[in-house]
Amino acid sequence: MPLELKDLTVLLIEPSSTQSKYLLNVLSEQTIEKVDVCSTGLQALATAQKQQPDLIISTMYLDDMNAIELLKHLRQDEATQDLNFMLVSSETDMKMLDDIKQAGVLAVLPKPFDKRDLSTALNAARDTIEVDQIQLNDIDIDSLVGLIVDDSKTARRHVLKLLNACGIENTFEAENGLEAIEILKSETVDFIISDYNMPHMNGEELANYLRQSEYSYLPILMVTSEQDSSRLSAVRQAGVCALFDKTIGPASLKDALRAALNS
């Protein structure tokens, strides 16, 4: 039987009892009833380590830590490092939002949030748990090999988890464009998923290099929190197949891979 939203277990971290009740009602509308509620980061860490929920939903600011610090603790613990995380916050500081996206989150929803966006994020959480093989015309998914390029180990783990949810198990990893090129010289890959901002050689430089090399046939998907429109335009001109925010979900990644590999 396919996994349904009502099967998801959720850990809700919210110090406000009023906000907790509201979120519990919204989750109930989505048929999700298996929800544990914590008001502090330390309580959440203990609960997550013991029960390992399918999804953690947290506000940005708690009494004992913020969501960035909470995520760092979660990602450093082998028992909790791969847990799905969603932020619900009115925070507008781009630096803080970028920091939390770098840690690998399914969604960053504003307060108040659109319930349709919540539904999309919940479905993304379900998809990361239940492997749903992509249908790719004339391509054997078991033979696909991807190259993940990102200077953040946590971000690479997040992309790897999304690929695994799509049924893709064979991957190589590089911390920047230069390392990616060295891997390409010795290994055969079918697609590249790259970050934009990296030391030594960033995503745009990597895309430009590949476009003018023997690897010009490789589809490149770029996952980035970059906001500068001129930089993003330059990336598109470099031949990148698709651009995504770091909160990309399995369904969107799946569609992009299908389009890139069947083009």
Side-chain angles (χ1 to χ4, degrees):
M1 293 289 292
L3 189 69
E4 299 180 17
L5 286 183
K6 66 182 180 63
D7 299 317
L8 292 179
T9 58
V10 174
L11 172 58
L12 176 61
I13 312 169
E14 174 56 66
S16 165
S17 58
T18 301
Q19 186 69 8
S20 291
K21 290 178 182 178
Y22 172 74
L23 288 169
L24 286 170
N25 287 333
V26 173
L27 290 171
S28 181
E29 291 174 3
Q30 296 287 334
T31 72
I32 296 176
E33 303 289 348
K34 303 172 185 175
V35 184
D36 288 309
V37 181
C38 293
S39 60
T40 70
L42 290 176
Q43 290 175 353
L45 289 170
T47 301
Q49 186 173 51
K50 181 179 179 180
Q51 300 181 8
Q52 297 179 13
D54 298 320
L55 174 64
I56 295 174
I57 301 176
S58 177
T59 189
M60 176 63 87
Y61 297 103
L62 307 168
D63 291 340
D64 53 353
M65 64 183 74
N66 62 36
I68 298 171
E69 295 167 330
L70 174 63
L71 255 179
K72 287 181 178 178
H73 287 298
L74 290 169
R75 299 307 188 215
Q76 291 170 357
D77 189 326
E78 186 175 349
T80 60
Q81 62 184 0
D82 289 325
L83 293 180
N84 292 312
F85 192 97
M86 181 192 307
L87 178 72
V88 179
S89 174
S90 55
E91 179 61 60
T92 57
D93 187 309
M94 295 306 298
K95 173 73 168 59
M96 294 196 72
L97 293 176
D98 186 57
D99 285 345
I100 204 160
K101 288 180 180 180
Q102 289 285 353
V105 296
L106 280 180
V108 177
L109 303 185
K111 288 182 180 179
F113 56 82
D114 189 315
K115 293 182 180 180
R116 292 171 296 182
D117 292 334
L118 175 64
S119 179
T120 298
L122 291 173
N123 280 292
R126 180 198 60 193
D127 290 345
T128 62
I129 299 164
E130 182 178 59
V131 174
D132 183 13
Q133 300 288 336
I134 322 173
Q135 298 301 315
L136 295 171
N137 297 334
D138 302 320
I139 295 176
D140 178 10
I141 192 171
D142 292 331
S143 68
L144 285 178
V145 180
L147 173 56
I148 305 169
V149 191
D150 198 306
D151 58 316
S152 165
K153 181 179 179 181
T154 302
R156 294 198 305 272
R157 286 187 63 86
H158 181 60
V159 173
L160 178 60
K161 183 179 180 181
L162 293 173
L163 289 174
N164 290 165
C166 293
I168 298 173
E169 302 287 343
N170 302 314
T171 57
F172 294 100
E173 297 182 23
E175 293 187 7
N176 55 59
L178 291 178
E179 285 191 11
I181 292 170
E182 289 304 308
I183 290 174
L184 292 175
K185 291 178 180 178
S186 60
E187 306 291 346
T188 300
V189 305
D190 299 296
F191 63 90
I192 297 172
I193 298 181
S194 176
D195 186 23
Y196 180 91
N197 291 303
M198 298 178 291
H200 308 304
M201 178 182 278
N202 64 29
E204 180 185 348
E205 292 166 336
L206 173 61
N208 278 319
Y209 172 87
L210 294 176
R211 186 180 60 175
Q212 301 172 32
S213 74
E214 60 187 292
Y215 309 108
S216 59
Y217 64 90
L218 282 174
I220 306 173
L221 290 76
M222 193 162 291
V223 183
T224 180
S225 54
E226 177 62 54
Q227 300 292 317
D228 189 300
S229 58
S230 62
R231 290 183 179 179
L232 294 178
S233 177
V235 168
R236 292 187 181 93
Q237 292 176 14
V240 172
C241 296
L243 285 167
F244 294 100
D245 187 84
K246 283 187 177 280
T247 55
I248 183 176
S252 296
L253 179 58
K254 190 184 302 182
D255 289 340
L257 283 170
R258 181 186 294 112
L261 293 169
N262 286 324
S263 63

